Amino acid sequence: MQKLSFKNRIAFHYIITTALLIFVVFSAIYSIVKYSVYNHLNTDISREVENHLSEIEVKDDNFRLVHLEEWNEREHNTLDVNPVFIQFLNANKESIEKSPNLKSENLKFNFSTENYELYDTKLLNNKIRQIQVPIYSGSKLIGYLLVAMSLEGAAMVLTNLSEILLIAYPLILVLLFFIARFIAGRSIKPISAIIETANIITKDNLKSRIVLPQKKDELFVLSQTINSLLDRIETTIDREKQFTSDASHELRTPLTVIKGTLEVLIRKPRDNEEYQNKIKYCISEVNRLNHLVDQLLLLARFENQNQSLKIEELSLNSIISEVLSRYSTVIETKKCKISSNFSEDFTVKSDHYLLAIVLNNLISNALKYSKENATLQIQLSSSTEQVECAIIDSGIGIAESDLEKIFHQFYRSNVGEHPEIKGTGLGLSIVRKLCFLLKVNIVISSKENSGTRVVLSFPKTSLTES
Ligand code: ADP
């Protein structure tokens, strides 16, 4: 059974059910035909009994046929399709009179059957159906009337019918098996197309798609689902490829710069100051590389979104203060002014470590993309549903067309105009991933050369409740 192909299995199951059904139908046909044939015969015999009983005359405990000669003649001349055999017996079961068609034969009296009971017996090896009816004079039994009719016709009908049904039964089943197999084969044809397409799909060839069947049935839905699954796999693999190539490019750039600087440096002896400058430059590139590797590791860590979050009640004010103190040197160097309205304490339910990464990236960007003496505003507010944190800078801003793209990995806006501002293009993609994990809504609005506003909205319902 395991080795049967799918279409043969469908056909096999179908045929088992059909075989049972046909068996029931054929049995019913045979029983109905048999019943009606016998019923017909029984009616004929009963009619004959009635006719003959009305033709006898009982006298002095004896009986006789009223019109014997007429009767003999009639019995002799009547051409019946199914001949009727009549015999009269006396009380001692001895023959008195019989129809001429019996010739030298006699109908046998059956002691084991009841009077008036119809039963099958034989006359000269031919099947007959017979009845024996007692004849009374008052309450005294004076004889019997035996009536029989040939069963040959009925037997022939029934034999023929059973033979036809027995031959037709396996033939119909074999025929139905092949028809079912053919239909099943045709119905699952789209599956072969799916298998064929699936076979030619490899990691490097994800372009092929399953041709959708014309009928919008389950196989259509299956093909559609597989196609959209392939679409998603293709997008993911393309993104992975893009990420790998971007990451290797980003990693190679500082290494090439360091290598080039050092190679130029050792070509001939330099003065101390030049050595110091070049080494400082290399250190800054190594720092950049370090930062890049850190961010790549962060991204890889949060790629798996099943991160277990450590949700607790956190003071937004103190996390922001922690981040600001981390950037105190930059704030001082750039002479930035920090304006914050921390009149009250704003608490949110979130993960401390991840939230600190988000705020760190956003405040670092706000400072990085601001000019000297700029003002950085951090505003906290709260409503019944959420706590909002807005980080507003008056820096270089972002072109409107780039607002969508800045969340993409390695995407950097304004690189050409501001080559002095270094970055990896990974910060905001990390922020977006973490905001998703923490269920924090982030909206960035910006105007070029005027400033950027980033708003984080923390829902007041706990993360664990949702
Ligand atoms: P980067 O390491 O380049 O800062 P991010 O992912 O943090 O990478 O930011 C992506 C890009 O978005 C940046 O290159 C920059 O062009 C733009 N950007 C982000 N924050 C700001 C901001 N506060 N002001 C201006 N531009 C910004």
Side-chain angles (χ1 to χ4, degrees):
M1 188 71 176
Q2 285 299 317
K3 284 185 187 151
L4 280 182
S5 69
F6 187 55
K7 67 175 177 181
N8 280 341
R9 230 160 50 218
I10 293 179
F12 185 71
H13 287 144
Y14 168 74
I15 227 63
I16 288 178
T17 329
T18 320
L20 285 172
L21 202 70
I22 296 180
F23 180 77
V24 172
V25 172
F26 277 14
S27 307
I29 292 175
Y30 183 80
S31 309
I32 291 168
V33 171
K34 188 175 175 184
Y35 172 80
S36 59
V37 163
Y38 270 77
N39 195 32
H40 193 71
L41 214 62
N42 292 349
T43 320
D44 283 356
I45 293 175
S46 304
R47 200 185 310 120
E48 288 296 332
V49 168
E50 249 174 60
N51 289 345
H52 283 84
L53 284 178
S54 66
E55 284 182 21
I56 57 170
E57 184 188 48
V58 179
K59 205 174 175 190
D60 302 333
D61 292 346
N62 275 319
F63 68 92
R64 65 175 193 92
L65 273 156
V66 184
H67 307 290
L68 181 63
E69 265 174 41
E70 223 176 89
W71 178 75
N72 264 329
E73 192 141 327
R74 199 174 68 222
E75 292 296 314
H76 197 81
N77 293 337
T78 316
L79 264 178
D80 272 330
V81 184
N82 205 8
V84 189
F85 304 104
I86 311 286
Q87 189 156 11
F88 289 98
L89 307 180
N90 62 18
N92 298 325
K93 285 90 182 175
E94 287 154 358
S95 176
I96 304 173
E97 203 61 63
K98 61 181 177 184
S99 55
N101 55 8
L102 276 171
K103 293 180 184 148
S104 59
E105 291 306 314
N106 284 307
L107 294 175
K108 286 184 204 78
F109 185 86
N110 195 333
F111 291 93
S112 57
T113 52
E114 299 280 324
N115 293 332
Y116 296 103
E117 186 187 323
L118 282 149
Y119 60 95
D120 294 349
T121 178
K122 281 195 167 172
L123 177 69
L124 257 184
N125 281 333
N126 293 323
K127 280 182 165 180
I128 53 168
R129 190 151 177 81
Q130 189 172 313
I131 191 169
Q132 47 204 40
V133 179
I135 302 167
Y136 290 98
S137 166
S139 59
K140 190 178 175 194
L141 179 77
I142 54 171
Y144 289 94
L145 164 66
L146 305 186
V147 179
M149 281 181 105
S150 172
L151 262 177
E152 287 304 302
M156 202 169 74
V157 167
L158 292 175
T159 315
N160 284 349
L161 181 67
S162 65
E163 273 171 8
I164 289 169
L165 295 182
L166 279 176
I167 293 169
Y169 189 62
L171 283 182
I172 290 175
L173 289 185
V174 170
L175 196 70
L176 279 180
F177 177 79
F178 284 108
I179 292 173
R181 198 170 163 273
F182 173 72
I183 293 172
R186 274 188 59 153
S187 318
I188 60 164
K189 218 171 171 191
I191 293 183
S192 313
I194 294 173
I195 295 169
E196 242 169 62
T197 317
N199 274 336
I200 53 171
I201 292 172
T202 60
K203 193 171 144 290
D204 301 315
N205 168 29
L206 275 168
K207 292 271 170 271
S208 307
R209 292 290 178 272
I210 294 157
V211 182
L212 295 177
Q214 278 173 352
K215 284 193 197 117
K216 298 206 168 173
D217 51 13
E218 287 86 346
L219 290 176
F220 181 90
V221 179
L222 175 69
S223 311
Q224 222 176 20
T225 314
I226 293 177
N227 279 351
S228 67
L229 174 73
L230 288 172
D231 286 346
R232 288 201 300 275
I233 294 176
E234 194 184 1
T235 317
T236 312
I237 290 187
D238 283 351
R239 223 174 29 218
E240 292 287 303
K241 277 186 191 161
Q242 187 62 42
F243 178 78
T244 317
S245 96
D246 288 350
S248 57
H249 174 261
E250 289 300 312
L251 285 170
R252 212 174 288 132
T253 312
L255 285 176
T256 317
V257 171
I258 295 168
K259 190 172 171 249
T261 313
L262 293 176
E263 275 172 354
V264 171
L265 203 60
I266 56 159
R267 242 179 241 157
K268 56 177 185 171
R270 319 264 166 174
D271 60 39
N272 221 358
E273 197 190 338
E274 199 172 348
Y275 275 127
Q276 275 203 4
N277 283 342
K278 295 291 178 197
I279 290 170
K280 269 187 193 157
Y281 179 65
C282 284
I283 290 173
S284 80
E285 283 302 304
V286 169
N287 283 339
R288 204 168 96 77
L289 200 61
N290 237 342
H291 181 58
L292 181 67
V293 171
D294 281 348
Q295 289 200 306
L296 283 176
L297 288 176
L298 260 184
L299 262 184
R301 234 180 101 188
F302 301 128
E303 202 58 56
N304 164 22
Q305 295 186 349
N306 299 328
Q307 275 284 319
S308 58
L309 301 176
K310 196 172 158 240
I311 302 300
E312 52 193 330
E313 190 105 3
L314 301 172
S315 156
L316 254 185
N317 310 40
S318 56
I319 301 179
I320 292 170
S321 302
E322 271 169 36
V323 178
L324 285 175
S325 67
R326 203 172 298 143
Y327 286 101
S328 57
T329 328
V330 183
I331 295 170
E332 253 171 55
T333 328
K334 273 194 151 181
K335 298 188 194 90
C336 285
K337 197 174 159 267
I338 307 293
S339 144
S340 50
N341 63 335
F342 297 168
S343 49
E344 58 176 294
D345 206 22
F346 291 90
T347 55
V348 288
K349 278 182 180 157
S350 197
D351 182 297
H352 185 282
Y353 176 66
L354 302 184
L355 186 56
I357 296 176
V358 171
L359 290 167
N360 192 63
N361 269 295
L362 295 176
I363 292 175
S364 136
N365 275 355
L367 290 169
K368 194 162 70 173
Y369 295 103
S370 288
K371 292 173 191 136
E372 280 194 7
N373 297 314
T375 306
L376 171 64
Q377 291 181 62
I378 301 180
Q379 295 171 354
L380 295 179
S381 60
S382 149
S383 68
T384 40
E385 279 131 41
Q386 55 189 29
V387 175
E388 267 191 11
C389 168
I391 300 162
I392 308 155
D393 67 59
S394 50
I396 60 168
I398 308 163
E400 210 185 326
S401 54
D402 283 352
L403 275 175
E404 267 292 301
K405 301 179 210 154
I406 51 172
F407 287 106
H408 295 176
Q409 286 162 354
F410 299 107
Y411 187 80
R412 301 203 66 221
S413 173
N414 287 323
V415 195
E417 287 163 47
H418 300 277
E420 75 286 358
I421 309 176
K422 304 283 181 206
T424 59
L426 290 174
L428 286 184
S429 53
I430 293 172
V431 167
R432 187 171 64 171
K433 257 198 189 112
L434 295 185
C435 283
F436 176 76
L437 276 181
L438 297 171
K439 300 208 167 83
V440 173
N441 189 38
I442 176 167
V443 177
I444 298 188
S445 50
S446 185
K447 204 166 172 215
E448 251 183 311
N449 299 319
S450 163
T452 304
R453 180 191 173 93
V454 183
V455 181
L456 298 175
S457 311
F458 301 83
K460 276 198 170 161
T461 46
S462 150
L463 273 177
T464 42
E465 281 167 25
S466 54

